[in-house]
Amino acid sequence: MDIVILTRRGIAYQRVRRGEQQVIFLPSDEAVKVYKDITDTSTIAERYGAQRSPPLWRQAEGQLVVYGLLPEALAQRRQALKVWLAQDFAPAEATAVMYVFDKKWVVFSRRDINDEGVVDWRTTLLKAEEDISVSDLIGETANDVMLDDVDARVCVAVYEDLELYESLQEKLKPLDIKPVPFSSLKVSPRAKPLYRQRDYGALMILSILLLTLLFAASAAYWFVTWLELQKVDGHIRDVRRQISNIEVNQNLGQLNDPHQVLRTMQKAFEAQPSAIVDAAARIGREFGELDSVKFSVGKDNTGNTRDNINPLEPGQHEVTANIGKPTNTLLVDQERLATLLMADAPWARQIENLPVGGSGLTLRIVLQTEKTEGRR
């Protein structure tokens, strides 16, 4: 049991380890105040004049008694704390008690009954000096009590000191007083602590543990979510790549003589061949379902052709687009559409319907793909 002896001046004695601390408070008569019209702690502190220190109080016989204030040094401790009066540990039959601590301090409390029959305990703190041992001090005090009241029942309790306990057994035997260990004393069931403080250290440790677990769970959740997000992003990239491949296949169909296209791509173009094919394919799709696109690499940008028919101007290239199912079968509709497309696409110089027969449609599309003087 951790014990603290507290007087009005402060802590007189303490033996503190890690358990709950039991404080024995010794009030002074001038500090005790009695109130009959208040019951809550905040009002008690205000009426008593307490600012930051908690008041030490108890209700007794229909009135509220304030014994003093708890020092800030005790109020700030994290350990559990209970404050009692000396008589709270006294056995029911005892009329006087002496609690001995550290062979030096003696808490002496004696019961008095006034003319009105009210029981009151007078408590003082005795100290063994060099000229008198604690055993002699207890023996003299007990002897005085027995002289004043032959029927007095004195309880002497020793706190965790076996050597002193055995010495007092011999010393008090003539007075028929048997000392007891202080740990054997129990607080009266009817007594309530003047002040009680719970173990804040355990609460802080629990709070830190919960915060640590919460942080770990949040970090784990974030990591799992990040992994899932990476998987989803990868899946989205794969889907977009597949969609792009499908669109290219739908736009271009298939290339005729791809090896020739690759050989031509080795030449220096201001516009990439893929861009030329894509531009022609976009125009061809406006006329219907595009089957194939042929980039006529045999015609160069100098105007020379294999058959010298429809020569190209400098910076132009010819692309042939085959439409399997034309949207417009009438030539007038096809001509009107070609005019609109050339107005929106200034790089398209010619759109010509080649008469090849059949239900399909073959377009000759001339594109201006390289800059020349006087042209854009």
Side-chain angles (χ1 to χ4, degrees), residues 2-6 11-17 21-23 73-74 77 101-102 105 159:
D2 292 352
I3 289 294
V4 178
I5 299 177
L6 178 65
I11 298 175
Y13 169 83
Q14 62 178 340
R15 184 179 294 183
V16 178
R17 300 181 185 89
Q21 299 177 12
Q22 307 292 337
V23 180
L74 284 176
R77 292 186 179 180
F101 299 95
D102 203 20
W105 300 100
Y159 180 71

Side-chain angles (χ1 to χ4, degrees), residues 296-368:
S296 299
V297 295
K299 298 181 176 66
D300 56 29
N301 60 1
T302 63
N304 298 323
T305 62
R306 293 191 184 97
D307 50 11
N308 292 323
I309 299 175
N310 299 323
L312 301 178
E313 296 181 5
Q316 294 182 353
H317 290 280
E318 177 182 311
V319 182
T320 302
N322 296 318
I323 313 301
K325 295 180 180 180
T327 304
N328 299 317
T329 58
L330 298 179
L331 293 177
V332 63
D333 294 334
Q334 295 174 2
E335 183 179 0
R336 185 181 300 109
L337 178 59
T339 302
L340 294 174
L341 292 175
M342 291 177 64
D344 293 335
W347 55 86
R349 302 302 186 187
Q350 296 181 27
I351 301 177
E352 181 182 354
N353 184 356
L354 300 179
V356 296
S359 60
L361 176 64
T362 300
L363 297 178
R364 176 178 176 269
I365 304 173
V366 178
L367 301 176
Q368 186 74 38

Side-chain angles (χ1 to χ4, degrees), residues 178-189:
K178 295 181 180 180
V180 296
F182 184 83
S183 58
S184 64
L185 301 180
K186 305 299 180 182
V187 177
S188 173

Side-chain angles (χ1 to χ4, degrees), residues 15-62:
R15 184 179 294 183
V16 178
R17 300 181 185 89
R18 294 185 178 180
E20 183 181 55
Q21 299 177 12
Q22 307 292 337
V23 180
I24 301 178
F25 181 59
L26 282 64
S28 60
D29 294 338
E30 60 271 16
V32 177
K33 294 184 179 180
V34 180
Y35 301 98
K36 297 182 179 180
D37 57 342
I38 55 177
T39 57
D40 58 284
T41 307
S42 59
T43 306
I44 294 171
E46 182 179 355
R47 292 280 296 275
Y48 192 77
Q51 297 179 354
R52 296 184 178 179
S53 301
L56 305 176
W57 60 278
R58 176 183 291 171
Q59 286 183 335
E61 299 180 358

Side-chain angles (χ1 to χ4, degrees), residues 157-218:
V158 181
Y159 180 71
E160 297 184 357
D161 193 329
L162 180 60
E163 181 181 353
L164 179 60
Y165 174 77
E166 293 175 348
S167 174
L168 288 175
Q169 281 184 322
E170 298 296 329
K171 186 75 174 181
L172 300 176
K173 186 178 294 185
L175 299 176
D176 196 22
I177 298 175
K178 295 181 180 180
V180 296
F182 184 83
S183 58
S184 64
L185 301 180
K186 305 299 180 182
V187 177
S188 173
R190 295 177 297 177
K192 293 184 179 180
L194 306 182
Y195 175 82
R196 182 176 183 179
Q197 178 176 286
R198 300 189 182 277
D199 189 354
Y200 294 145
L203 182 61
M204 291 177 62
I205 294 175
L206 179 60
S207 301
I208 293 173
L209 179 61
L210 291 177
L211 288 176
T212 303
L213 293 177
L214 181 61
F215 175 78
S218 300

